Amino acid sequence: MNQSDPGTMKTLGVYLFGQAKKLSLKFKKAPTMKDLMMVYYSEAKSAKITGRKVAWITSGGPVEPLIAMDVIPIYPENHGAMIGASKMGAGLCEKAETMGYSNDLCSYARSDIACATVNGGPIGGLPRPDMLVCCNNICGTVLKWYETQARYFNVPLFILDTPFCHTGYFDEAARYVRSQIDEYIEFIEGVCGKKYDFERLRQVGLLSFEGQKLWQAVLDTAAARPAPMSAFDAFYHLALIVTLRGTKTAVRYYQNLLAQMKDRVARGIGVVPDEKYRLLWDNIPIWPRVRWLSQKFASHNACLVADTYTSAWCGSMKYIDENRFIDSMAEAYTRIYLNIGVDEMAKTVIEMIDKYDVDGLVLHSNRSCKPYSFGQLDIERIVGEQRGIPCLMLEADMVDDRSFSESQIATRIDAFMEIIKERAKSRN
Amino acid sequence: MLTAGIDIGSITAKAALVQDGKIIGTKVIFTGYNAEAAGIKVYEETLAEAGLDKSAVAKIVSTGYGRNSVKFADRAFTEILAHAAGAHFVNNKVRTIIDIGGQDSKAISLDETGKVKNFVMNDKCAAGTGRFLEVMARALEVNLDEFGAMSLKSEQPAKISSLCTVFAESEVISLIARGEQRPEIIAGIHESIAARVSSMLARVGIVEPVMITGGVARNEGIVHALEKKLGVKIEVSPYAQANGAIGAAVLAATL
């Protein structure tokens, strides 16, 4: 779509908005993820016509203050996952490299930066932002990435700086982050041109907490044998807790999903037919190869029952006080999985190994995501020492399928499963 | 019972025949572009040399990158399991295996019973593999078979710091241009491979006895560099290249 052509823009906007309206009317109950994402992106794409503001925000950023002001949050990382899953990553990454970005740079950043210039990708690019919100609790790359986009779109950028929590969360950090939340509120007021609605934020906070509780409960159902869902399903159902956290839509969706999963557990239905082995996944999915990987593991009767990635959107719930949302969210957003020390991460992994009773750990060493991949060798070692289960390291990338070598990865998975099967045999 | 193992690697295809705990015959040929044809050829030639007919073979196991292209095999196992079985067959005390093949190198740890405990393979990179040595041999205009003996003459190995095959090749070329002697350069290449392989070994944990398998095991310079780096004695498999195929034949007897 050519942005310089307002006529086309308007026609498309009205069309998409109409579609979204139609869809939302149709959803008397239980819309699918696909429907909801269609409505979500349609609404965002028609925001100019409906007069709503659009904010691009990092995946670990505090979205509730935006939702409370009726701003539509857009997640370039979620879009990056869609690009990866549609196998459009390599093309957009090449485009970014042509623009001068190194192929060592995160492939979410590369595909987003490239996509903004050509409106490519599976949904023809993201709607133009009115503001950018960048929280560095997930990585440092987002700072430069969002600065680049702020210059490109010429829109204001808010940076929420969350200090790294090596061992704990201290008073200085708490005061520092909390004071930035106030600045964040002022920033949103400025862009929206209206007073902040704190009562609405209180309600959004309650819904956010409720949504996270439900998402955790959904993930918990995979502790059952056989697991009613796998990490591959979680990768799919994750989209709403990321994009629409703090809305009734997300709460309803996960209530429904939880009921479905509980029903499957009650009836003993497993997602992998004849589940024999249970595995834990670490790191962001290899989006272009999710289906291939899921089939590969299933062919060995192995189910990836849990992962450290999707649980990151409810992992810091323990720090949230739903009745003091605005105060406690500073801590919750600072102490997320990617912003803590390797020992803390290993502790989380060990807890998950026990909770989901897994036979092995699969670590995706993600060329794009340095903060996620950095401590993996240590985590592998700690898991080996403390739980003695086999660990497998797969080297790939979340979006850029040029970093995926099928036969090498197939051999590693086959060999890993041979070891797990042998161990199971000698146990029996 | 007579069983066969076929190991289709990236550079060579190997076959082995094992009967009642004895190796009847082994053969190594180049894989070429057609892995399936290479599997048939190496199998038939091994049988012919041993004077045996296909009908005498009870079970066949395939392994290696081309394991799934051996359509006549009863089952396929990965080369990790095959190398472990092969090394255990040759010496049942072996606890750690270093396997350096054409396109990958791996470290495998075994438990007391010969079962694979853990393994680590090189990442998407040819450095530290047989292919890396081939590239270096070409750059140095030395026959790869002479690499081992030549490097042992070295007094002060050159330093090869690049981790990438392509960059290491230009590094080697600039060392030649600087007048560095070939034995020193070759010894430096062996040390760089040994350093890479050692870090994989550290991840699985080194428990003696250690055995080296795979085509690169024939290079005594690599073995020497590894022994120096790790400070342990390394046993070279007498069937270096055919070790995976022997292991596959051993596994076939358990089917």
Side-chain angles (χ1 to χ4, degrees):
Chain A
M1 187 174 69
N2 187 345
Q3 284 182 7
S4 60
D5 181 355
T8 314
M9 164 92 187
K10 194 165 176 185
T11 315
L12 182 70
V14 169
Y15 170 75
L16 285 175
F17 186 62
Q19 293 295 313
K21 260 265 174 297
K22 248 196 309 197
L23 276 171
S24 48
L25 286 175
K26 234 169 52 185
F27 298 156
K28 282 283 176 274
K29 56 183 171 188
T32 65
M33 174 65 71
K34 207 174 155 195
D35 296 333
L36 292 172
M37 291 315 277
M38 167 80 180
V39 172
Y40 164 65
Y41 277 111
S42 304
E43 280 183 358
K45 287 210 169 203
S46 42
K48 288 279 170 292
I49 294 133
T50 54
R52 290 175 70 185
K53 298 282 183 201
V54 171
W56 287 15
I57 180 167
T58 54
S59 65
V63 67
E64 294 84 356
L66 294 171
I67 303 257
M69 289 291 273
D70 213 24
V71 175
I72 302 177
I74 286 288
Y75 288 81
E77 288 158 76
N78 173 265
H79 184 223
M82 284 163 65
I83 288 170
S86 341
K87 297 187 174 36
M88 296 168 104
L92 285 166
C93 286
E94 274 169 19
K95 162 79 184 148
E97 286 154 28
T98 312
M99 291 163 71
Y101 293 94
S102 161
N103 69 354
D104 286 325
L105 183 66
C106 159
S107 54
Y108 278 169
R110 269 181 292 156
S111 47
D112 179 57
I113 290 168
C115 199
T117 67
V118 291
N119 282 329
I123 56 165
L126 290 177
R128 196 185 155 81
D130 297 293
M131 65 186 114
L132 302 174
V133 179
C134 171
C135 180
N136 62 355
N137 57 355
I138 48 163
C139 69
T141 303
V142 290
L143 295 173
K144 291 293 148 192
W145 168 10
Y146 274 61
E147 281 174 4
T148 298
Q149 295 299 56
R151 278 195 298 272
Y152 182 77
F153 290 108
N154 192 25
V155 291
L157 163 66
F158 183 80
I159 292 172
L160 182 71
D161 180 29
T162 49
F164 196 83
C165 303
H166 291 277
T167 52
Y169 189 64
F170 301 104
D171 196 39
E172 297 84 346
R175 283 200 311 269
Y176 176 58
V177 181
R178 178 61 188 85
S179 69
Q180 291 177 77
I181 301 287
D182 292 334
E183 292 169 24
Y184 182 31
I185 300 281
E186 281 170 32
F187 170 83
I188 299 171
E189 282 182 326
V191 178
C192 295
K194 54 182 179 192
K195 278 299 276 174
Y196 201 82
D197 186 345
F198 286 96
E199 173 48 28
R200 182 83 198 287
L201 178 60
R202 203 185 59 79
Q203 291 161 9
V204 170
L206 290 173
L207 285 170
S208 169
F209 190 70
E210 177 73 18
Q212 293 179 57
K213 265 200 307 199
L214 284 162
W215 178 237
Q216 182 66 63
V218 167
L219 297 177
D220 286 348
T221 62
R225 273 179 192 268
M229 64 180 282
S230 72
F232 296 109
D233 299 305
F235 296 160
Y236 175 77
H237 293 297
L238 169 75
L240 285 189
I241 198 70
V242 179
T243 55
L244 294 175
R245 190 167 65 242
T247 65
K248 282 194 183 120
T249 311
V251 167
R252 276 196 214 109
Y253 183 80
Y254 292 120
Q255 277 168 342
N256 186 41
L257 184 62
L258 180 61
Q260 279 176 37
M261 291 306 136
K262 281 187 167 165
D263 177 55
R264 289 179 69 111
V265 172
R267 292 192 286 145
I269 304 171
V271 66
V272 169
D274 199 15
E275 172 196 303
K276 286 203 180 88
Y277 313 102
R278 298 162 64 85
L279 306 170
L280 176 66
W281 174 272
D282 181 55
N283 213 312
I284 301 173
I286 305 169
W287 292 114
R289 289 310 189 109
V290 167
R291 184 194 293 267
W292 183 87
L293 283 164
S294 145
Q295 285 167 352
K296 182 78 195 159
F297 281 107
S299 76
H300 288 288
N301 306 108
C303 180
L304 269 81
V305 291
D307 68 283
T308 57
Y309 171 66
T310 54
S311 55
W313 279 271
C314 47
S316 58
M317 216 162 41
K318 51 183 177 270
Y319 307 117
I320 298 180
D321 176 348
E322 58 200 298
N323 300 313
R324 284 176 47 249
F325 189 78
I326 197 162
D327 294 316
S328 59
M329 79 177 203
E331 179 169 0
Y333 276 107
T334 307
R335 301 184 80 170
I336 68 160
Y337 186 72
L338 287 184
N339 209 40
I340 56 176
V342 170
D343 288 330
E344 296 279 305
M345 287 169 107
K347 220 171 92 190
T348 308
V349 170
I350 299 273
E351 280 167 13
M352 292 184 84
I353 288 171
D354 295 344
K355 177 176 178 183
Y356 295 97
D357 195 15
V358 299
D359 306 293
L361 169 65
V362 182
L363 303 112
H364 166 208
S365 174
N366 183 352
R367 190 178 164 89
S368 268
C369 193
K370 278 78 177 175
Y372 216 145
S373 310
F374 178 67
Q376 281 177 317
L377 283 180
D378 283 318
I379 291 172
E380 185 185 24
R381 179 182 50 78
I382 295 168
V383 166
E385 285 165 4
Q386 297 189 9
R387 291 296 178 270
I389 58 168
C391 299
L392 173 70
M393 187 83 75
L394 298 177
E395 315 220 356
D397 187 89
M398 57 199 183
V399 168
D400 191 345
D401 36 325
R402 294 171 300 175
S403 293
F404 190 90
S405 169
E406 186 174 305
S407 69
Q408 286 200 346
I409 291 194
T411 297
R412 282 160 178 73
I413 293 174
D414 290 345
F416 175 69
M417 290 312 303
E418 283 168 354
I419 295 174
I420 287 187
K421 286 173 195 173
E422 276 296 318
R423 284 168 62 103
K425 228 193 281 170
S426 40
R427 254 205 319 269
N428 295 333
Chain B
M1 182 166 65
L2 178 68
T3 56
I6 295 161
D7 176 6
I8 311 289
S10 63
I11 299 177
T12 55
K14 286 79 65 172
L17 296 168
V18 170
Q19 186 161 33
D20 307 323
K22 277 203 185 67
I23 297 163
I24 303 295
T26 63
K27 180 138 191 95
V28 182
I29 65 168
F30 283 105
T31 305
Y33 71 93
N34 187 338
E36 189 175 351
I40 295 168
K41 189 169 171 229
V42 73
Y43 178 51
E44 285 176 351
E45 286 182 8
T46 314
L47 281 170
E49 279 180 18
L52 291 164
D53 187 75
K54 276 182 195 170
S55 59
V57 179
K59 292 280 178 197
I60 306 167
V61 159
S62 63
T63 188
Y65 270 96
R67 61 188 178 281
N68 293 323
S69 58
V70 182
K71 305 279 187 261
F72 54 90
D74 295 292
R75 222 176 135 180
F77 287 106
T78 65
E79 53 269 38
I80 289 99
L81 217 61
H83 275 281
H88 186 71
F89 177 77
V90 172
N91 174 358
N92 63 15
K93 301 236 164 18
V94 167
R95 299 290 301 278
T96 308
I97 302 167
I98 304 164
D99 170 52
I100 311 182
Q103 73 171 20
D104 63 35
S105 42
K106 45 186 115 44
I108 307 169
S109 65
L110 306 182
D111 65 13
E112 298 83 357
T113 64
K115 287 207 170 62
V116 177
K117 259 170 71 186
N118 197 1
F119 72 98
V120 173
M121 287 169 91
N122 65 318
D123 52 26
K124 271 182 233 58
C125 171
T129 67
R131 190 67 85 185
F132 177 75
L133 282 169
E134 282 185 356
V135 170
M136 296 306 147
R138 205 176 54 217
L140 285 159
E141 295 180 352
V142 174
N143 189 325
L144 193 50
D145 291 332
E146 298 164 33
F147 248 50
M150 269 184 102
S151 70
L152 295 182
K153 290 185 212 142
S154 155
E155 281 165 7
Q156 199 156 28
K159 180 117 184 73
I160 312 287
S161 50
S162 257
L163 288 176
C164 160
T165 305
V166 176
F167 293 158
E169 187 182 8
S170 20
E171 216 177 323
V172 163
I173 289 166
S174 67
L175 287 170
I176 299 170
R178 284 215 305 263
E180 187 71 77
Q181 294 302 302
R182 279 178 182 167
E184 310 297 355
I185 300 177
I186 297 169
I189 291 166
H190 291 162
E191 286 194 348
S192 83
I193 293 181
R196 235 183 137 80
V197 174
S198 303
S199 61
M200 289 197 288
L201 281 164
R203 278 174 65 192
V204 299
I206 303 166
V207 180
E208 289 186 89
V210 181
M211 182 183 271
I212 182 163
T213 66
V216 175
R218 295 187 306 156
N219 179 331
E220 54 195 314
I222 291 277
V223 178
H224 176 74
L226 275 166
E227 285 181 334
K228 202 168 110 187
K229 177 91 189 160
L230 300 169
V232 297
K233 181 96 191 70
I234 296 171
E235 181 183 341
V236 179
S237 162
Y239 304 96
Q241 266 180 301
N243 182 67
I246 292 168
V250 169
L251 289 170
T254 67
L255 292 184

